[in-house]
C-alpha cells in the first residue's frame, strides 16, 4: 500500500539546521508531489511548502521561505525538508504528505510525522 | 491571500447527533479548491472531502461536504465515537499555496 515513512525525532539547538526525510513506497514516486505541513504543540496545521517529485518545482510558504529547502532523491524515492536557523517556535511535528492532482491537489496520504524540538 | 475561518472552535455533541461544521473564506473560491481533513490526537490528518463535496476513498457517507463561494460546511450524521476529533478545512488555489483553517474540535458531550 501507499506509505510515507518519515525519519525519527530530532532535538536541535537554536540556530542549527534540521533535515527531515520522507520515503515513499507503493506508488510511482515521480507521479505526485510532496507537501510539508507542521503542527506546533496544541496548535493547528501550518503549510510549509511542496515539491514536485517529477521536476523538483517548489513552492514555499512566506513564513519560512527564507529558511526552508525542499528536495527529492528519485533514486531512493525520498523527499527531504531542511529548515535552517532554527528557533524555539519551530518546535513542532513535521508531516509530509502526497499531493494528488486528480483530487484537486489535496493531500491523500500522510506520514506519521517527525517531532522536531528546538531547545538550548 | 485566502484566509479560512472555521466555526465553532469547539462543538460538544453526543453519539448519534448530527454535527455541522463551518468554514468561511475571506474571498470567493472555487469549490474544487476546498477540502476537509480529520485529525485525531497523536495521528496525522486524514483526507475526508475534496472538491468541496467528493468523499475520499473509504470515507463513509455519514460525512457530507457542501458549499460554494465563501461558505462551506461539513456535516457528520449519526456521530460515532470515532468521529470525535479535530476537523480542518483547507484551500489550494491559483497561488499554488495551501491554507488551513484553524480547526474545529468535535468533543463528546
Amino acid at each position: 500500500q501507499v506509505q510515507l515513512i518519515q525519519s525519527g525525532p530530532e532535538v536541535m539547538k537554536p540556530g542549527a539546521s534540521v533535515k527531515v526525510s520522507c520515503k515513499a513506497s507503493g506508488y510511482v514516486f515521480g507521479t505526485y508531489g510532496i507537501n510539508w505541513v507542521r503542527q506546533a504543540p496544541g496548535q493547528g496545521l501550518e503549510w510549509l511548502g511542496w515539491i514536485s517529485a517529477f521536476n523538483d518545482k517548489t513552492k514555499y510558504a512566506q513564513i519560512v521561505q527564507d529558511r526552508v529547502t525542499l528536495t527529492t532523491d528519485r533514486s531512493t524515492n525520498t523527499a527531504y525538508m531542511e529548515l535552517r536557523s532554527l528557533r524555539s517556535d519551530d518546535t513542532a511535528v513535521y508531516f509530509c504528505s502526497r499531493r494528488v492532482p486528480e483530487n484537486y491537489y489535496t493531500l491523500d496520504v500522510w506520514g506519521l510525522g517527525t517531532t522536531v524540538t528546538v531547545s538550548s | 491571500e485566502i484566509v479560512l475561518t472555521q466555526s465553532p472552535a469547539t462543538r460538544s455533541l453526543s453519539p448519534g447527533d448530527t454535527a455541522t461544521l463551518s468554514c468561511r473564506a475571506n474571498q470567493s473560491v472555487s469549490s474544487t479548491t476546498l477540502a476537509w481533513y480529520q485529525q485525531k490526537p497523536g495521528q496525522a490528518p486524514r483526507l475526508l472531502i475534496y472538491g468541496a463535496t467528493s468523499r475520499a476513498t473509504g470515507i463513509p457517507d455519514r460525512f457530507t461536504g457542501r458549499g460554494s463561494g465563501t461558505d462551506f460546511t461539513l456535516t457528520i450524521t449519526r456521530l460515532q465515537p470515532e468521529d470525535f476529533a479535530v476537523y480542518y478545512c483547507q484551500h489550494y488555489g491559483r497561488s499554488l499555496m495551501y491554507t488551513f483553517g484553524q480547526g474545529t474540535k468535535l468533543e463528546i458531550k
Side-chain angles (χ1 to χ4, degrees), chain A:
Chain A
Q1 77 278 25
V2 176
Q3 282 188 299
L4 298 174
I5 305 298
Q6 297 188 225
S7 49
E10 303 272 10
V11 179
M12 312 299 296
K13 299 285 189 189
S17 298
V18 68
K19 194 168 187 177
V20 178
S21 67
C22 172
K23 183 173 176 60
S25 63
Y27 71 98
V28 178
F29 181 65
T31 307
Y32 301 105
I34 295 290
N35 259 266
W36 291 88
V37 174
R38 72 181 178 183
Q39 187 169 39
Q43 302 301 307
L45 303 173
E46 182 176 50
W47 176 71
L48 300 179
W50 62 260
I51 183 167
S52 165
F54 175 71
N55 60 14
D56 289 334
K57 176 179 178 178
T58 55
K59 187 73 175 180
Y60 297 120
Q62 290 180 342
I63 52 163
V64 291
Q65 64 180 8
D66 295 335
R67 299 191 294 129
V68 71
T69 301
L70 303 182
T71 56
T72 65
D73 181 345
R74 280 178 283 280
S75 70
T76 60
N77 293 345
T78 304
Y80 297 91
M81 189 273 314
E82 182 180 33
L83 188 60
R84 301 176 294 278
S85 302
L86 289 167
R87 311 184 294 239
S88 57
D89 62 357
D90 292 317
T91 294
V93 178
Y94 288 74
F95 295 100
C96 63
S97 53
R98 189 177 75 162
R99 178 173 175 267
V100 182
E102 51 265 38
N103 287 3
Y104 303 117
Y105 296 98
T106 46
L107 312 176
D108 71 334
V109 176
W110 294 64
L112 296 181
T114 295
T115 299
V116 175
T117 303
V118 182
S119 173
S120 55

Side-chain angles (χ1 to χ4, degrees), chain B residues 51-93:
Chain B
T53 61
S54 299
R55 277 184 290 274
T57 303
I59 302 303
D61 59 8
R62 300 184 293 104
F63 292 84
T64 302
R66 297 185 177 91
S68 64
T70 60
D71 292 305
F72 298 86
T73 59
L74 174 68
T75 300
I76 313 167
T77 59
R78 305 184 306 278
L79 280 169
Q80 303 295 305
E82 62 268 26
D83 298 336
F84 292 91
V86 180
Y87 292 84
Y88 295 93
C89 57
Q90 170 248 298
H91 170 266
Y92 173 76

